[in-house]
Every structure is written in structure tokens, then in C-alpha cells.
Amino acid sequence: MPETTPPLPTPSHTVGPFYGYALPFPDGERVAPAGHPERITVHGHVRDGEGAPVPDAVLEFWQAAPDGSLAGAPGSMRRDPVTGGFLGRNGTDFTGFGRVATDADGHYALHTLPPGNAGAPYISVCVFARGLLHHLFTRVYLQDGPDPLLDALPAGRRATLVARPEENRTYRFDVRLQGEDETVFLEFR
């Protein structure tokens, strides 16, 4: 056999589009129990740099409970081997975690409770999409207000993190991956 040299390390690869099989799970968009009187909906579209919808993105959401606690219900990440659902989701307990895939039009919807963190209330978001070498982190603020992150941004950039209130306890938050009105993304070191 001819002698071969060991392969060189490879750079990061894009992360999709293979989400529809393994990452979304039943009721991943339902962080709050159906019919809860304080339940809110956050929805919007994920769009690329040209404004086209991203039909195969996955968004993960984490948030504080209405009382400000960060514990969530235990077991929200345990997988049921039969249904693919998560054993910790009983439809009653608030977990603080959701995972939602976009539809063919790039639309998503999350049903949750208002976060009770101090300052301007927000929900943390992680975006996975084709063409990304690494996932992106951002926040959805349900109202503008005093917050160290928001306060550090110019008004136009700040607006990309604040959801627009609509009727019936619903908020609109679009994620723009690049281009005009690109969403502010966070870098953790």
C-alpha cells in the first residue's frame, strides 16, 4: 500500500439543512400550558440577507419564569425514545425552554409566559440555519426599557431586538440574518 499523509484538520462546516429529522420535537413551541391566562405568543419570520424566507431554520428559546427564576421544570430535555418527544413536557409545568422549526415560509411561533427577569423582559434565542458556520445568539425584548445590552446600542440597532406588540398578547419578532436591518447577534467569550 502506498504511504499516505494524515489528513489536515478541516474548517467548520455549515450546520444544515437536516433539522427536520432530529432537532424539532412535538410541542417544542409550547413552553406555556395551553389555555394559561398569562400565555403570550412570539412569532415572526427568519430571513436571509436578501430578505428571502429561511424555510429550514431552527430557533431555541430560553427564558426566566414569570417570577424571575431560571430553574424551569426538571426533565425538559429528556427524550422519549418512542415518540421523539421530551419526557419533561407534561403540558402543565413551565420549562423555560422551547425549540421551534420554521415552516416553508420561514415563519415560527412560540407560546410562552412573560419572562420575569429584572429590567426589560427578554427571551434568549439561538438560531441554527443553513449557511451558518456557527449558530447565532440574540434576544427578543418584549418591551424597550433600561437594559445594559440595549443601552449600549444605537437606536436603529436597538430596534432589531425589540418585538412589536400586536393584538391578543402576541408579539412580532423577525430575525434578519444579514443585510439591511440585520438582527443584533451576541458573541460570548
Side-chain angles (χ1 to χ4, degrees), residues 40-43 61-63 108 110 114-115 117-125 137-153 157-166 170-175 183-186 188:
I40 63 171
T41 297
V42 177
H43 78 103
F61 299 90
W62 304 274
Q63 71 173 87
Y108 74 91
L110 176 76
N117 47 306
Y122 68 86
I123 301 170
S124 296
V125 183
F137 295 97
T138 190
R139 290 180 176 177
V140 178
Y141 284 88
L142 299 183
Q143 65 188 39
D144 203 338
D147 178 87
L149 174 62
L150 289 178
D151 293 344
L153 298 171
R157 301 293 292 142
R158 180 181 182 118
T160 70
L161 296 179
V162 181
R164 296 185 315 267
E166 297 179 334
T170 300
Y171 296 84
R172 174 74 184 254
F173 182 77
D174 294 323
V175 176
T183 301
V184 169
F185 296 107
L186 310 174
F188 295 98

Side-chain angles (χ1 to χ4, degrees), residues 5-115:
T5 58
L8 296 173
T10 58
S12 295
H13 294 285
T14 58
V15 293
F18 49 80
Y19 301 117
Y21 172 70
L23 289 180
F25 56 88
D27 295 327
E29 76 285 352
R30 194 176 73 193
V31 179
H36 191 287
E38 298 298 313
R39 182 172 147 162
I40 63 171
T41 297
V42 177
H43 78 103
H45 288 86
V46 177
R47 298 194 182 278
D48 67 16
E50 295 177 354
V54 178
D56 51 6
V58 172
L59 293 92
E60 287 187 348
F61 299 90
W62 304 274
Q63 71 173 87
D67 67 2
S69 67
L70 296 174
S76 65
M77 296 295 288
R78 289 183 301 150
R79 182 175 295 280
D80 180 332
V82 175
T83 67
F86 280 74
L87 297 173
R89 298 225 172 217
N90 61 14
T92 304
D93 296 332
F94 179 79
T95 65
F97 173 80
R99 184 180 289 149
V100 183
T102 56
D103 65 16
D105 296 320
H107 185 262
Y108 74 91
L110 176 76
H111 309 289
T112 188
L113 298 177

